[in-house]
Amino acid sequence: MIIILKESATDEQISHVVARVESFGLQAHLSKGTYRTVVGVIGDEAKIQAAPLLAIPGVAEAVPIMPAYKLASRKAHPQPTVVHVGSGDAVTKIGGGHFGMIAGPCAIESAERLDSIAGDIKAAGANLLRGGAFKPRTSPYAFQGLGEEGLKILREVGDKHSLPVVTEAIDPRHVEMIAEYTDMIQLGARNMQNFVLLTEVGKTGKPVLLKRGMAATIQDLLMSAEYVVANGTTDVVLCERGVKSFDNSCRNMLDIAAVPQIQQLSHLPIIVDPSHATGRPELIPACALAAAASGADGVHIEVHNCPEEAMSDGPQALLPAQYAEVAKQIRAVAKVVGKTF
Amino acid sequence: MIIILKESATDEQISHVVARVESFGLQAHLSKGTYRTVVGVIGDEAKIQAAPLLAIPGVAEAVPIMPAYKLASRKAHPQPTVVHVGSGDAVTKIGGGHFGMIAGPCAIESAERLDSIAGDIKAAGANLLRGGAFKPRTSPYAFQGLGEEGLKILREVGDKHSLPVVTEAIDPRHVEMIAEYTDMIQLGARNMQNFVLLTEVGKTGKPVLLKRGMAATIQDLLMSAEYVVANGTTDVVLCERGVKSFDNSCRNMLDIAAVPQIQQLSHLPIIVDPSHATGRPELIPACALAAAASGADGVHIEVHNCPEEAMSDGPQALLPAQYAEVAKQIRAVAKVVGKTF
Amino acid sequence: MIIILKESATDEQISHVVARVESFGLQAHLSKGTYRTVVGVIGDEAKIQAAPLLAIPGVAEAVPIMPAYKLASRKAHPQPTVVHVGSGDAVTKIGGGHFGMIAGPCAIESAERLDSIAGDIKAAGANLLRGGAFKPRTSPYAFQGLGEEGLKILREVGDKHSLPVVTEAIDPRHVEMIAEYTDMIQLGARNMQNFVLLTEVGKTGKPVLLKRGMAATIQDLLMSAEYVVANGTTDVVLCERGVKSFDNSCRNMLDIAAVPQIQQLSHLPIIVDPSHATGRPELIPACALAAAASGADGVHIEVHNCPEEAMSDGPQALLPAQYAEVAKQIRAVAKVVGKTF
Amino acid sequence: MIIILKESATDEQISHVVARVESFGLQAHLSKGTYRTVVGVIGDEAKIQAAPLLAIPGVAEAVPIMPAYKLASRKAHPQPTVVHVGSGDAVTKIGGGHFGMIAGPCAIESAERLDSIAGDIKAAGANLLRGGAFKPRTSPYAFQGLGEEGLKILREVGDKHSLPVVTEAIDPRHVEMIAEYTDMIQLGARNMQNFVLLTEVGKTGKPVLLKRGMAATIQDLLMSAEYVVANGTTDVVLCERGVKSFDNSCRNMLDIAAVPQIQQLSHLPIIVDPSHATGRPELIPACALAAAASGADGVHIEVHNCPEEAMSDGPQALLPAQYAEVAKQIRAVAKVVGKTF
């Protein structure tokens, strides 16, 4: 931490800043510049990161040197984490050169439909089946998911096709139940800073798919990953799925540079969801290929066999045949940048 | 709803769109333009708003005419809602010309400190005491609040100073307990789209303070208000508290135009929180006055008697004396635009 | 300037950084922390601000301590600048307690129309007449302004009503001509970083109205003001007119906190343009009042007597009667915060 | 154009809207819905696009059906445009399967340095040499470029290495001179809406490299391309180079989805500049590969042989050896998606 004082800071104020730093068991190193005094903090920065330094009279700025996340950082774990999802015959690895192909419908609507979609995506090369049983809908009047019934369907269909399964949790009271039915728990973009939910999901020890919030910085995302890891789950896959921007020609703006950035900062795998990022099927293939080329550890694509009848987010789903086509190209591009299948 | 077809739409596709519209019990009204065909939907638009129209082949755009919120809209309730918070001697009215002066520390830290702050803000004209017992912190290592102990302190201090009290809920499992101790429940910015929590809080029937999410559009905020109202609570006060922007000179960007916009769209009161919007005490007075002049129904300001020791968000709090000064000016400005005290 | 090195920085790299700093005639002050080394730069930071420090191996971050603008900063000129616009009987002062009421149509369309509008706004209390003769239109097919003919009309109408006049320059080849006809030259939002134009306009010595770009930070705006002042014009009025945001319910998002921020950083007056900020007449009054309450040094409002026939930006103009009404309220609010009329 | 009326619109207002539409030589087609009346405009929408429809009493919304750009649209020219840059032996094609590899230093600093860089990038596969002679710098005190001397160097070095050359124009008074020395003229991000400059550059008939503004929507970019094409130059290459976002971990946010979006809307080639988009060399390779995979028609990368001494934007340049490495991978990825070299 570097504390930059105001030009107007008095000697008394400077002494007070030094005393505050020392009160945290840290040392203060003064550097008087031409215009301003700067206080370098020596010692474990974590002790002072949450302190309201800007509220101290005479302080202009406090510049952290260390990130506030630790367990999620590359420093804590220099090698990339390989997340294992599933068990028995159906284990999918994501990270460290292993590429996750997550696909499925937005919501689980019926056993028949999910079975049909699962068969198609498995054939196309998908290795993880997604489907929502509890849906966070912006309208209280919209379809909210099949609940536990949906979880049962997901489990059965996944088992039938030897695909591990992932579904979203939105209520801390359901986390335990979801953990029983599925292989991985998704934390959605709207809940990325639902710290209560992060904590509960982290405690299950299950692999987690953590989606970036629509206005979350990369630092925010890694802090949320820290919540999950600090509560006990080290198998966290991060997911870039587009953020808010001033240009509403797409639903969100896919932040492709987040992939190499996160890979520098963290050991956790990072995948990309071009379905939610764009909200438009005709843009999904180009964005999925961009993700693969950028070095992402996987892609998450919504697939539905009759989008116009989908009970949630139909317009952003690919048809199974479209998915098969793009899946082939994704593998070709991912191989160029060193991924194995 | 107006459905705009692609230039390339075939007659068959147009017929299919018409059939889809009719399948919802609505009528379709075709208008063939020079370049494109447009389908006007006649009937209750609510029936079709959640349908994946963009997934129908040949459809280019679907333009809703009616907002997706109903109970929160001006149309449902042309007169401004006056929210009553508290009971007995300590009732504060917000909306319809009544101005809410919400103040207090970010977190409840001790009975003594809260008592001291409450006495000061009451003397300065505040009419609603805030304080956090459960804190949504971005770091798992930061102070998370005193929990139920904090709620007890808040209730006692509020009663002593005849100030109704508001505190934030972050966990659906705590909502009932919070409702017992407090007069109003806050839904924070990070939980604005935590629909599970919105639902639980709505069911209590208690007045609600709903803060706008950091990347929520005004439409998003009103949809979240709809969740609360649809679950049983009509006393919802909305709160603009700054949104994310490209300029990080302030913590957030205060969207002052949201005040008149919301007043046109909704009957619910809208207040402004310049503390979270700016994160810098020297900017709070100007923004609070701007809020009062814009016609806002109140302001929410953090006050702490020793910000540098605050356990949460110290740097954005005013000192009691600073609050007293700005409170006087706020009243002067609010009176110019017709508010009563 | 504080240069933060990477954890992996070698001793050789650290020595190289020190040598680079010294090569600019500055001193380097080393501070070895627990994890990282920090180099404080002692001396005139301006010498090193433009250097590509991040390109030096081992450097992680370079944190400037001094702003890159000097002439525009409060430090250079602690008292607020009062800009005088016009001459003879028609002088309007802006800044230092003097409130500018700039009004007029987006574009000059005819002598009759401008005369009528000018009479109305003068009666309502406006003290500076605006009107565009050269329009920066996003479409090459839209009305581009009357050119020099418009300037003549503006000069005549201003003189008739004893109102100083301001118009926008968009071409460096026209700046001299515009300076002859008008009392103040506007640099529009789209040209805020047209440094060629800033330079030419600065050289005229005429007062300047510099509008903030749609995605310009406050720092960017002050750097552009620095261009104008460095070229010879110290009479620069800054104008906040809304910036791009993710919420397109308004044309732009009015950044009201920019007013107190700029007043802390700079001695130059800062006014607000609620017309361009909102693009919707029903929101203009609330935003204009917010501006006055925030301490702004003036407001810039578009007024047209038949918006539906306006040749540019009609939908964001107030009718003369609406302007008269809001002007009265603006004065009442501005007086509360210490402005004189 | 579809004009949606307010619920409160009177019959008289509706008649007036119809009359206004007809006054433009168009037909109005009324559709009375359950809640609102909608007016469909039949005929050439271009006639009414610039009209201030929202200023007409009773009008709630005006939804255009046709884009406001024509010459730049796919509809005007269904086949992709192949832009030819250069003459004689040194012709580079961009678009329609031809991939542009634009590289070079930010600014031209000396003949020796440019010669060295040009030799390196040519060997690595670059086919177009860039270098700035007139630099738009945010600080008036920073290096502004070598001017005409720089143009001479660029021409000579380009000729020596058989590389066509591109440089930026920032002043309409220099456009003719620049056109004499170079093969392609760049319009920079800050000048994307400098319509005076767009017009002058368009008149030269030279190929143009038009960079997207930092807060420009895709629609804005295509409108600026329309300016250039309408003035006479059909050879316009568009360039996505990152836009402003709330996350300042990168200089800008690369909008990779802009590539497929623009390819659907326009026939003009679209390339990507990962140097300006990220501002950090360690992120450039991943973003360049993502661009190639997304189907972009080229990449624009800054290369410098001693970034820490660069007179402009050193920290975002690759070293020649880094460029050679990524150029090889770019070709491999681009071939997977059908590009030829």
Side-chain angles (χ1 to χ4, degrees), chain B residues 18 34 38 122 140 144 153 208 233 239 263 271 283 313 335:
Chain B
V18 170
T34 309
V38 167
K122 171 86 181 187
Q144 311 270 328
I153 294 172
V208 169
T233 297
C239 182
Q263 288 176 339
I271 70 167
L283 304 177
D313 275 351
K335 280 174 189 164

Side-chain angles (χ1 to χ4, degrees), chain B residues 51-85:
Chain B
L53 300 174
L54 293 177
I56 307 178
V59 172
E61 239 177 299
V63 183
I65 289 185
M66 304 303 290
Y69 50 89
K70 286 177 234 336
L71 304 171
S73 77
R74 267 278 171 200
K75 199 184 153 179
H77 191 300
Q79 293 308 308
T81 285
V82 180
V83 172
H84 291 67
V85 187

Side-chain angles (χ1 to χ4, degrees), chain C residues 1-339:
Chain C
M1 184 78 70
I2 295 165
I3 303 170
I4 304 173
L5 301 187
K6 292 180 181 166
E7 277 193 273
S8 60
T10 63
D11 282 352
E12 200 182 0
Q13 287 176 334
I14 296 174
S15 300
H16 182 61
V17 170
V18 170
R20 284 295 286 158
V21 168
E22 291 173 352
S23 73
F24 287 93
L26 300 163
Q27 281 177 275
H29 179 267
L30 243 72
S31 170
K32 299 218 175 202
T34 309
Y35 306 108
R36 298 198 178 192
T37 296
V38 167
V39 179
V41 176
I42 319 280
D44 179 8
E45 186 174 308
K47 293 180 183 172
I48 203 169
Q49 272 178 339
L53 301 172
L54 293 177
I56 307 178
V59 172
E61 237 178 300
V63 183
I65 289 184
M66 305 301 292
Y69 50 88
K70 285 177 233 340
L71 304 171
S73 78
R74 267 279 170 200
K75 200 186 153 176
H77 192 298
Q79 294 308 310
T81 285
V82 180
V83 173
H84 291 68
V85 186
S87 59
D89 288 351
V91 174
T92 291
K93 290 189 263 186
I94 302 177
H98 303 279
F99 197 85
M101 296 279 279
I102 308 180
C106 181
I108 299 159
E109 298 169 17
S110 71
E112 295 65 35
R113 181 154 270 168
L114 189 65
D115 183 36
S116 164
I117 295 171
D120 288 341
I121 62 169
K122 170 86 180 186
N127 54 22
L128 189 43
L129 175 65
R130 67 145 285 136
F134 298 94
K135 300 299 306 171
R137 302 304 297 275
T138 47
S139 167
Y141 313 119
F143 174 62
Q144 310 271 329
L146 296 182
E148 189 168 5
E149 182 55 29
L151 297 177
K152 284 181 191 163
I153 294 173
L154 182 62
R155 181 73 272 162
E156 280 164 24
V157 171
D159 286 347
K160 177 177 166 191
H161 295 280
S162 289
L163 283 168
V165 298
V166 57
T167 202
E168 181 171 359
I170 60 174
D171 188 332
R173 298 167 296 193
H174 295 156
V175 168
E176 221 173 298
M177 177 175 75
I178 291 172
E180 276 169 35
Y181 284 106
T182 64
D183 303 301
M184 185 179 215
I185 304 178
Q186 179 185 315
L187 286 158
R190 288 187 175 76
N191 282 311
M192 194 204 82
Q193 292 195 320
N194 181 339
F195 304 116
V196 170
L197 192 63
L198 266 60
T199 300
E200 289 300 319
V201 168
K203 285 181 186 163
T204 65
K206 281 270 171 182
V208 170
L209 178 61
L210 176 61
K211 303 189 100 176
R212 181 180 183 183
M214 278 165 287
T217 61
I218 287 173
Q219 155 96 6
D220 291 336
L221 174 60
L222 291 173
M223 284 307 294
S224 287
E226 186 80 6
Y227 252 93
V228 178
V229 181
N231 276 286
T233 296
T234 49
D235 288 337
V236 179
V237 174
L238 306 172
C239 182
E240 159 63 30
R241 41 77 77 210
V243 293
K244 292 266 182 164
S245 90
F246 62 85
D247 189 351
N248 66 346
S249 61
C250 258
R251 184 181 303 179
N252 294 289
M253 186 172 283
L254 179 60
D255 178 13
I256 199 71
V259 174
Q261 279 196 84
I262 287 172
Q263 288 176 339
Q264 287 177 11
L265 298 170
S266 177
H267 55 92
L268 300 172
I270 166 76
I271 69 166
V272 170
D273 171 357
S275 297
H276 284 87
T278 62
R280 289 168 49 191
E282 69 274 25
L283 305 175
I284 293 174
C287 292
L289 294 175
S294 76
D297 299 300
V299 289
H300 172 287
I301 295 178
E302 293 201 351
V303 179
H304 198 284
N305 52 19
C306 186
E308 72 173 87
E309 288 176 6
M311 299 176 82
S312 176
D313 275 351
Q316 74 190 29
L318 292 187
L319 290 166
Q322 293 171 320
Y323 180 71
E325 177 62 23
V326 74
K328 205 162 53 181
Q329 286 185 290
I330 288 169
R331 280 191 299 274
V333 168
K335 280 175 189 164
V336 173
V337 296
K339 295 294 188 290

Side-chain angles (χ1 to χ4, degrees), chain A residues 296-339:
Chain A
D297 299 300
V299 290
H300 172 287
I301 296 179
E302 293 200 349
V303 179
H304 197 283
N305 52 18
C306 186
E308 72 173 90
E309 286 175 9
M311 298 178 84
S312 178
D313 276 350
Q316 73 190 29
L318 291 187
L319 291 165
Q322 293 172 319
Y323 180 71
E325 176 63 23
V326 73
K328 205 162 49 181
Q329 287 185 290
I330 289 169
R331 280 192 298 273
V333 168
K335 280 174 190 164
V336 173
V337 297
K339 296 293 188 291

Side-chain angles (χ1 to χ4, degrees), chain B:
Chain B
M1 184 77 71
I2 295 166
I3 303 169
I4 303 174
L5 300 187
K6 293 181 180 164
E7 275 191 274
S8 59
T10 62
D11 281 353
E12 199 181 1
Q13 287 176 333
I14 296 173
S15 301
H16 181 61
V17 170
V18 170
R20 283 297 283 159
V21 168
E22 291 172 353
S23 74
F24 287 92
L26 300 163
Q27 284 177 274
H29 178 266
L30 242 73
S31 169
K32 298 220 174 201
T34 309
Y35 305 108
R36 298 196 179 194
T37 296
V38 167
V39 179
V41 175
I42 318 281
D44 179 8
E45 186 173 308
K47 294 181 183 171
I48 202 169
Q49 273 179 337
L53 300 174
L54 293 177
I56 307 178
V59 172
E61 239 177 299
V63 183
I65 289 185
M66 304 303 290
Y69 50 89
K70 286 177 234 336
L71 304 171
S73 77
R74 267 278 171 200
K75 199 184 153 179
H77 191 300
Q79 293 308 308
T81 285
V82 180
V83 172
H84 291 67
V85 187
S87 58
D89 288 350
V91 175
T92 291
K93 290 189 262 186
I94 301 177
H98 303 278
F99 198 85
M101 297 280 279
I102 309 180
C106 181
I108 299 158
E109 299 169 18
S110 72
E112 296 65 35
R113 180 154 270 166
L114 189 66
D115 182 35
S116 165
I117 295 170
D120 288 341
I121 61 168
K122 171 86 181 187
N127 53 23
L128 189 44
L129 175 65
R130 66 146 284 134
F134 298 95
K135 301 298 306 170
R137 302 304 297 275
T138 48
S139 167
Y141 313 119
F143 174 63
Q144 311 270 328
L146 296 182
E148 187 167 7
E149 181 56 27
L151 296 178
K152 285 181 189 161
I153 294 172
L154 182 63
R155 181 73 273 161
E156 281 164 23
V157 172
D159 286 348
K160 177 177 166 191
H161 296 280
S162 290
L163 283 167
V165 299
V166 57
T167 202
E168 181 171 358
I170 60 172
D171 188 330
R173 295 167 297 193
H174 295 155
V175 167
E176 220 172 300
M177 177 176 73
I178 291 172
E180 276 169 36
Y181 285 105
T182 65
D183 304 301
M184 185 179 215
I185 304 177
Q186 179 185 315
L187 286 158
R190 288 186 176 76
N191 283 311
M192 194 203 83
Q193 293 194 319
N194 181 338
F195 304 116
V196 170
L197 192 61
L198 266 60
T199 300
E200 288 300 320
V201 169
K203 284 182 187 163
T204 66
K206 281 269 172 184
V208 169
L209 177 60
L210 175 63
K211 301 189 100 176
R212 181 181 180 183
M214 278 166 287
T217 61
I218 288 173
Q219 155 96 7
D220 291 336
L221 174 60
L222 292 173
M223 284 307 294
S224 286
E226 185 81 6
Y227 252 94
V228 178
V229 181
N231 276 286
T233 297
T234 50
D235 287 336
V236 179
V237 174
L238 306 172
C239 182
E240 159 63 30
R241 42 77 76 209
V243 293
K244 293 265 183 166
S245 90
F246 62 86
D247 190 351
N248 66 346
S249 60
C250 258
R251 185 180 303 178
N252 294 290
M253 186 171 283
L254 178 60
D255 179 13
I256 199 72
V259 174
Q261 279 195 84
I262 287 172
Q263 288 176 339
Q264 286 176 11
L265 297 170
S266 177
H267 56 94
L268 300 171
I270 166 76
I271 70 167
V272 170
D273 172 356
S275 296
H276 284 88
T278 64
R280 290 167 49 191
E282 69 272 26
L283 304 177
I284 294 174
C287 292
L289 295 175
S294 75
D297 299 300
V299 289
H300 172 286
I301 296 179
E302 293 200 351
V303 179
H304 197 281
N305 52 19
C306 185
E308 71 173 89
E309 288 176 7
M311 298 177 83
S312 176
D313 275 351
Q316 74 191 29
L318 291 186
L319 290 165
Q322 293 171 320
Y323 180 71
E325 177 62 24
V326 72
K328 206 161 52 182
Q329 286 185 290
I330 289 168
R331 281 192 296 274
V333 167
K335 280 174 189 164
V336 173
V337 296
K339 294 295 189 291
T340 54
F341 288 88

